[in-house]
Amino acid sequence: MYEFHSDRNRYFLMQKMVCEEDIIPFIEKVYPFTGDAKVLEIGCGTAGVLSAFLERGHKGFGVDLDTGSLDYAREKLSGFIESEQLTLINNDIYSIDFEKEYQLKFDIIILKDVIEHIHGHEKLLKRMQSFLNPSGVIFIGFPPWQMPFGGHQQICRSKFLSHLPYFHLLPTPAYRSILKAFKEGPDHLCELQETGISIEQLEKLAKKTNYTIVNKELYFINPIYKHKFKMKGRKQSAFIGSIPYVRNFFTTCAFYLLKA
């Protein structure tokens, strides 16, 4: 496990910076939005990503199941909460009716490093359609399952396993045995074998649920790595990015912008 996984202050700052430097410019390429835009982040964690939107004057809603992360966000962003610019909700996204409870729909919905943790990707995409304004968009950023660390093994306590690429692609019994041998709790990591998602799966689901892909970018080196590991973000080559399935193994991050 890397030190920033347990340092909420640093993690918050990294998320804020990657949003300012990469996510917002990616969205604005095809969807310029004004200061009164309403932004929802699903799986907001400590709300570092949302904070970048808040500082631009947008109204933010964050939803997460992790109480500890939301407690940190409430303290860190207390001024925005007091001014009613930010609302944080500790609940399951399927249990909230924003139109009924808050009388609003959203211009932008953010899922950053979240969709690969959620069961029922199709159900989620359909659900989000009811949250969007007619011209609204959904940003999805995720690591393809087959990428070197798509199993999130970087969170392992074992330094060896946290640096071992691709071993999450082993059959489940072998993968679980290795995790147990190194005294890693296997349940959360093994669950990703069920919820992880590839580039092709996302594109097929977007089409099936009647979304249009209005912007897309694949990265050989994830933009956030410049803050995590001092590695400059690098876009995927057009050649590799054009090869279905193969590209998943060499793409550490995919950005998509969907419109219903």
Side-chain angles (χ1 to χ4, degrees):
M1 180 183 291
Y2 293 94
E3 50 83 20
F4 53 76
H5 287 119
S6 57
D7 185 341
R8 282 191 168 131
N9 286 320
R10 186 178 171 197
Y11 202 77
F12 174 94
L13 185 59
M14 288 192 300
Q15 296 290 340
K16 180 176 182 287
M17 288 190 293
V18 80
C19 185
E20 291 172 339
E21 297 166 4
D22 300 287
I23 295 174
I24 288 176
F26 173 82
I27 295 171
E28 287 187 317
K29 279 182 181 178
V30 296
Y31 185 72
F33 51 97
T34 62
D36 61 353
K38 297 176 179 63
V39 183
L40 166 67
E41 185 177 12
I42 298 172
C44 66
T46 57
V49 168
L50 263 183
S51 71
F53 288 96
L54 296 172
E55 290 188 358
R56 289 167 55 111
H58 307 299
K59 189 176 180 67
F61 277 71
V63 178
D64 205 288
L65 288 172
D66 185 67
T67 303
S69 293
L70 288 181
D71 286 344
Y72 172 92
R74 289 188 180 101
E75 181 177 351
K76 184 79 174 179
L77 301 170
S78 58
F80 291 109
I81 293 173
E82 289 168 7
S83 67
E84 299 185 349
Q85 188 182 340
L86 172 65
T87 301
L88 295 172
I89 305 168
N90 189 194
N91 207 337
D92 186 298
I93 193 62
Y94 296 116
S95 302
I96 307 167
D97 186 334
F98 288 101
E99 191 168 17
K100 181 178 179 180
E101 296 176 36
Y102 299 97
Q103 295 77 52
L104 61 78
K105 290 194 174 187
F106 296 96
D107 302 294
I108 303 170
I109 298 176
I110 304 288
L111 288 93
K112 183 187 178 297
D113 297 333
V114 168
I115 195 168
E116 73 273 18
H117 295 281
I118 296 178
H119 288 276
H121 299 137
E122 182 177 347
K123 179 183 177 183
L124 177 64
L125 287 174
K126 288 179 177 177
R127 175 73 170 160
M128 288 190 295
Q129 288 176 341
S130 66
F131 299 162
L132 279 175
N133 279 322
S135 62
V137 293
I138 298 173
F139 168 85
I140 300 177
F142 69 99
W145 166 248
Q146 295 85 359
M147 79 92 155
F149 295 92
H152 288 42
Q153 58 264 49
Q154 66 271 19
I155 69 172
C156 289
R157 293 184 297 273
S158 162
K159 188 173 182 180
F160 173 71
L161 290 186
S162 69
H163 289 78
L164 185 62
Y166 295 116
F167 87 98
H168 63 290
L169 300 179
L170 290 168
T172 300
Y175 183 51
R176 186 177 287 272
S177 295
I178 291 172
L179 292 172
K180 284 186 175 180
F182 282 85
K183 298 181 179 179
E184 300 287 348
D187 292 339
H188 171 65
L189 291 169
C190 286
E191 187 178 28
L192 281 162
Q193 290 188 317
E194 300 175 14
T195 60
I197 187 168
S198 70
I199 294 166
E200 291 73 28
Q201 286 174 316
L202 180 67
E203 292 187 357
K204 287 177 182 177
L205 281 170
K207 183 177 181 180
K208 185 177 181 181
T209 51
N210 299 312
Y211 286 96
T212 301
I213 297 170
V214 294
N215 200 9
K216 166 185 171 181
E217 194 67 72
L218 305 181
Y219 289 90
F220 177 62
I221 298 178
N222 192 328
I224 203 170
Y225 286 2
K226 61 180 172 283
H227 305 298
K228 288 183 175 181
F229 310 119
K230 301 187 185 303
M231 297 172 64
K232 186 177 180 180
R234 179 178 166 188
K235 293 179 181 179
Q236 184 59 271
S237 73
F239 175 70
I240 294 296
S242 68
I243 306 174
Y245 305 104
V246 171
R247 58 191 174 182
N248 291 281
F249 292 88
F250 305 101
T251 299
T252 60
C253 176
F255 280 5
Y256 279 81
L257 197 66
L258 309 182
K259 191 175 185 304

